[in-house]
Amino acid sequence: MSNTRPQRPAGVARSPVVIRRSALLALAATAVAAFAAGCGDDSSSSSTTAAGPAGGDYPAAGIRFTPPEGYSVAGGKGRLVATVQAGQATVAIWRYPRKEALPKSKDELKAARDALVKAAEKADDTFEIVKTAPTEIAGQPAVQIRARETIAGKPRTVRSSHLYAYGAEIVVDAYAEHDSFRQVDADVFRPLLRSLKVTAPAT
């Protein structure tokens, strides 16, 4: 696996990969907010998270993780907390503030999952589910979706994890080429998720 540093790991406005995922995740987050609130109002989404240092500790977002060895890590802007990247493998971590009640029960998480899948299918006609499950990540209720889709014109396999905690939907979106995904998932994506810690954002 290459550890070549991406040209603009933190340049949200200039990275087609990050732009593609940002648009899809914003749509999915809106769908979850609509489920929780019973309407389409997503007024809380205008809140932003201050950019953190180029590492695994982002107290302004209440997010901490252990960066994988050999990967470049960069703090983001706005809802994007951080990106972790090496070659064609990428992890993007987002925080979407929510004023609505967040899903907690198994039924609520299943409904949130259905809303996310529906939004993803609407945004990308190549979206194909591999596996979905309500779960718990970092001790918080979560939904995990593994799927094949197209990102910046390239076919990718994605592990998208949505955690609901501390007034926010936290999204850890990890993706790589189809052929390398299984190995990268085992070596990088899942260990990063296991290292994830979520707390209330620092004021």
Side-chain angles (χ1 to χ4, degrees):
M1 212 178 326
S2 169
N3 62 357
T4 302
R5 186 177 181 86
Q7 291 182 353
R8 299 184 183 93
V12 180
R14 298 184 182 182
S15 169
V17 174
V18 173
I19 288 172
R20 169 65 182 83
R21 294 302 298 165
S22 178
L24 177 56
L25 290 170
L27 184 61
T30 300
V32 173
F35 151 72
C39 65
D41 182 16
D42 189 27
S43 58
S44 61
S45 65
S46 60
S47 300
T48 59
T49 298
D57 192 9
Y58 299 86
I63 292 172
R64 181 161 52 93
F65 60 90
T66 301
E69 184 177 354
Y71 276 59
S72 63
V73 183
K77 295 181 180 180
R79 302 182 188 96
L80 179 63
V81 176
T83 56
V84 180
Q85 191 166 13
Q88 300 301 312
T90 301
V91 181
I93 301 174
W94 312 79
R95 186 180 188 277
Y96 293 89
R98 295 288 168 220
K99 293 181 180 178
E100 303 84 0
L102 298 175
K104 294 181 180 180
S105 70
K106 189 172 182 179
D107 286 344
E108 289 171 342
L109 289 170
K110 285 181 178 179
R113 174 202 61 192
D114 292 346
L116 288 164
V117 168
K118 184 177 180 180
E121 289 174 339
K122 184 176 181 180
D124 180 1
D125 58 11
T126 70
F127 181 84
E128 178 186 354
I129 292 175
V130 176
K131 185 177 181 180
T132 70
T135 185
E136 184 177 286
I137 299 173
Q140 307 297 336
V143 169
Q144 196 163 85
I145 299 171
R146 191 150 38 101
R148 297 184 181 93
E149 57 185 283
T150 301
I151 300 173
K154 305 289 186 180
R156 294 288 182 263
T157 300
V158 181
R159 180 184 292 278
S160 188
S161 304
H162 298 248
L163 292 70
Y164 306 98
Y166 299 102
E169 177 183 1
I170 297 162
V171 181
V172 181
D173 215 28
Y175 47 98
E177 295 176 323
H178 293 328
D179 291 345
S180 62
F181 177 84
R182 185 182 293 273
Q183 190 65 51
V184 177
D185 189 43
D187 293 345
V188 176
F189 297 161
R190 282 183 280 169
L192 188 150
L193 280 171
R194 287 195 294 269
S195 77
L196 187 67
K197 300 292 186 294
V198 177
T199 61
T203 56

